Amino acid sequence: MVVTILTTYLITIEIGKLHTRRDIFLKENKATLSRDEKKAYREIIKAKQKKLLILCLFVDLGILAVLKYTNFAISNANAVLRLFHSQEISFMDLALPMGISFYTFQTVGYLVDVYRGKYLPEKNLGKLALFVSFFPQLIQGPISRFDDLSKTLFAEHSFDGRNVTFGLQRILWGFFKKLVIADRILVAVNTITKDPENYQGIFVFIGMLFYAVQLYADFTGGIDITIGIAQVFGIKVQENFQRPFFSKSITEYWRRWHITMGTWFRDYVFYPISISSPMLKLSKTSRTKLGEKIGKRVPVYLSSITVWFATGIWHGASWNFIVWGLMNCFVIIVSQEFEPFYSKFHNRFNLRGTYGFRLFQVMRTFLLMCSIRILDCYRDVGTSFKMFGTMFTKWRFSDVFQGALLDLGLEKSDYYVLAIGVVILVMFSLKQRSGNVWEKMENGPLLLRYAINIVLLISVITLGAYGIGYDSNQFIYNQF
Amino acid sequence: MMKKTKILQVAAAALVTIIILVFLEKLLMPKYMTQILEGALISEYYQEKEKDHDVIFVGDCEVYESFSPITLWEKFGITSFIRGSAQQLIWHSYYLLEETLRYEKPEVVVFNVLSMKYDVPQKEAYNRMALDDMPMSITKLKAIRASMMEEEKFITYLFPILRYHSRWSELTSEDLKYWLKRERISHNGYLMRVDTKAVTTIPTKKRLPNYEFSEICYHYLDKMTALCKENDIELVLIKAPSLYPHWYDEWDEQMRAYAEENDLYYINFLDYTDEIGIDYSTDTYDGGLHLNLSGAEKMSEYFGRILTEKYNLRDHREDAELKKIWDGKIAFYNQTIEMQFSELELLGYIKAFNKKKEEG
Amino acid sequence: MEALMNILQELHPEVDFKTNESLIDGKVLDSFDIITLISEIHEEYDVRIPVDEIIPQNFNSAEALYRLIERLQDE
């Protein structure tokens, strides 16, 4: 992390200097230089900056690549070597600093923003270091932008009782989700997914559903804790989720789930690639060669595939994540292509906007996402597809009715807690649609507020699935 | 002014929360009133109004099943208390002793040396049974540190609710009945068993790679010796006459040597079972691991005589106040004997112990 | 301006680009639309819209977009 911070600091300062120099120069010589001369000058500066940018990217992303993906590369190389029966490379023992994927991206975002001239670089090394290493974000994000975070991070902080209250409540709510719901249902998820031989057919479906609950509760819970901690200090961190399971399409889902990651990839990978000169040239040629319709789609498809490949591999150094990313891409592209058919359908049947249809869309999106996420459950591509298949070939309702649910590591009491927990989650989300629940609570009756907080706290302590036998420190995104 | 009311509100809420949590913790902690009565042993010492005993016993199950303080009183007028617990390890014993000495200064401390063979923490359950009921103190903190197994977390000893919270779904009527107050189950630390199970076979002794007791055990034994010396207390090392786990000659030798070096009295009761009159077909309730009531009373008669003679212990039977207290204890003792025997007759087993216990 | 309107209309025939002023905020245009737009604008007007100009202010209305194009052409 230190290397990343130092390199980025030095280079951004340099880039910033170039920006300033250019602006001053252009200003001074506004009248005297011709348009072309101005353009030429800009190009020179830009070229210099680009070199610096690339150097810094190389270092920052290089560190990430080496520490995180070396062993993945080695295992793939070994697979090839095995074909030739030659000596395999041994794996390296590399330590992965916590949050490396998150803070590297956050840093790169800052670097590119400075390069683009969005804002001047931070001259204070301490401040930059704080931005990169801001601890609540290291485990699961969110990935912040420098202009957003620095404003609130370095501002004057007065002890604001309201912020402390809201922050603490948010932290409590996050722990509730993580300890009472996510860590509890994790036991069942693990039983199913770690034993694909014995749990097939309907169990795969159950595993998928349970995993959706677990991932949601764990991830959003962790983010709640992060945002809550920041809030106690008066720092406003960006939201990362917006009731994602109410989405009506996969595209919408990715605007509501892990929001900061989505926008990061959009601003720093998707847009740059899709409107880069090579891409534009390619789109031009494909338009002339393959016709308007196809040509138009080329930049979109290529960029999308690249972005989703990157998203996949960012999640983890293994093939199942890459396939997962590409599957998301595939579904999104397909739904885009089907748009005209959907329009025709809706024009015929006039269902768009009805409650029933919206409900259908929500369910469809939910099931689709659960299915794609199966690659996350069984960390192996082959197994994932195989298990998915068994849902259709080996489905037997009777499997469940013989008390199998109680053999997954959870007892009846656990299921009651989970059921109530999920209901609370859904109700909370429903309520949140019309505004921040905590703020609404502020205006509610005093006793009720305190009662809710006390009950939450006691629930977390008593019902939390922690302790010997449980381990609540397995934040799912922690290998980042 | 708004701020002041807010602070008061928060303080009130915090107080309410803490009170709820305290009661919840009491509810969730195991009560040890049925089946695993050993867990309640440590707590009973603190309920004694008169904490002033001639003899304090510390150690594992061999200590709380081999001696009857009631017999010691009835026959010799000695006051005693057994601070024993299931598989109590030597560091448990040492810190328990350290703590006890803050309440009183006995004449004699008796320690069963079987625990010299355990040089590492054995099982979380035994840690819990030895430590949970100790009131918070520096000694307890030291004891926790010394006892924790790898997967245990310190904070769960400071706030046991963090360890037992998952019992919420396993609460029984026992938890409700004894939520706030538990019943006495021991007699000054002696856990009574009137049933009998004769010795049939004892597993053959295995050859060990190394018979030397570990450094850490000697370390604590030294500490115990020093502690007693400092406080002018006679430390007596004993080995109870249990036939299993096996007490090796090599171990016996080491204890003899240690006792000599440190000017302590060491007695291995296994060598004197004939004199004591121990009959392994009638005096044990689990085939030789522990003595039953009959065995314990015989042991107490024998050992009581030794203690009185060697250490000039006073006979307190004339003391009016003490007599009153101990008469009460004797009544309770006889009550328990009656109850256990009648259960044995009616049911064939003693209700409180009818589930299989761990070897202690 | 006309060419731009044509491009926009072809992308989303159901939208009234003359009056709609919240194309981004109102989620009328998504990121796919944006890059298609940029690619077509590049074709038509020979300007490259840099990434840091992809902000709501520039894309919320056809007007704003046209102003952006003109500005880039001047540079």
Side-chain angles (χ1 to χ4, degrees), chain B residues 180-199:
Chain B
L180 301 169
K181 192 160 194 285
R182 292 193 280 188
E183 275 176 10
R184 277 212 187 216
I185 46 96
S186 81
H187 305 274
N188 273 35
Y190 167 61
L191 192 60
M192 187 192 294
R193 290 288 296 250
V194 307
D195 45 337
T196 313
K197 181 161 171 238
V199 171

Side-chain angles (χ1 to χ4, degrees), chain B residues 14-113:
Chain B
L15 194 61
V16 169
T17 314
I18 292 178
I19 293 178
I20 296 180
L21 285 174
V22 167
F23 276 98
L24 214 52
E25 184 178 90
K26 273 194 179 306
L27 181 63
L28 292 169
M29 286 182 76
K31 307 294 179 298
Y32 303 117
M33 290 284 104
T34 55
Q35 279 156 26
I36 313 181
L37 271 65
E38 295 85 326
L41 288 174
I42 292 293
S43 65
E44 305 215 336
Y45 177 74
Y46 307 103
Q47 291 163 31
E48 288 292 300
K49 279 189 214 97
E50 272 288 320
K51 292 194 194 57
D52 185 14
H53 304 94
D54 296 318
V55 186
I56 292 284
F57 294 81
V58 282
D60 50 23
C61 51
E62 290 187 358
V63 119
Y64 65 71
E65 295 290 34
S66 305
F67 300 99
S68 164
I70 306 303
T71 308
L72 286 175
W73 167 266
E74 280 184 314
K75 293 282 176 347
F76 305 99
I78 301 175
T79 56
S80 61
F81 203 101
I82 305 177
R83 298 218 69 189
S85 62
Q87 204 172 91
Q88 192 180 97
L89 303 170
I90 190 168
W91 41 88
H92 293 152
S93 305
Y94 171 73
Y95 288 116
L96 265 178
L97 183 60
E98 195 184 273
E99 186 207 41
T100 311
L101 293 186
R102 261 190 276 114
Y103 291 99
E104 58 171 298
K105 293 275 188 292
E107 302 277 336
V108 183
V109 165
V110 180
F111 171 58
N112 187 50
V113 293

Side-chain angles (χ1 to χ4, degrees), chain A residues 35 116 274 277 284 287, chain C residues 39-40 48 73-75:
Chain A
R35 184 141 172 246
R116 287 181 186 159
S274 54
S277 327
K284 195 166 186 168
R287 244 187 276 236
Chain C
S39 150
E40 308 242 332
R48 278 206 40 210
Q73 282 177 323
D74 277 339
E75 281 184 358

Side-chain angles (χ1 to χ4, degrees), chain A residues 63-96:
Chain A
I63 294 178
L64 175 64
V66 166
L67 290 181
K68 192 167 171 186
Y69 299 104
T70 308
N71 282 332
F72 178 54
I74 290 179
S75 74
N76 282 317
N78 281 343
V80 175
L81 287 174
R82 243 174 272 149
L83 290 173
F84 296 105
H85 296 288
S86 47
Q87 183 82 340
E88 293 188 20
I89 313 170
S90 56
F91 291 107
M92 297 185 64
D93 192 15
L94 298 163
L96 207 63

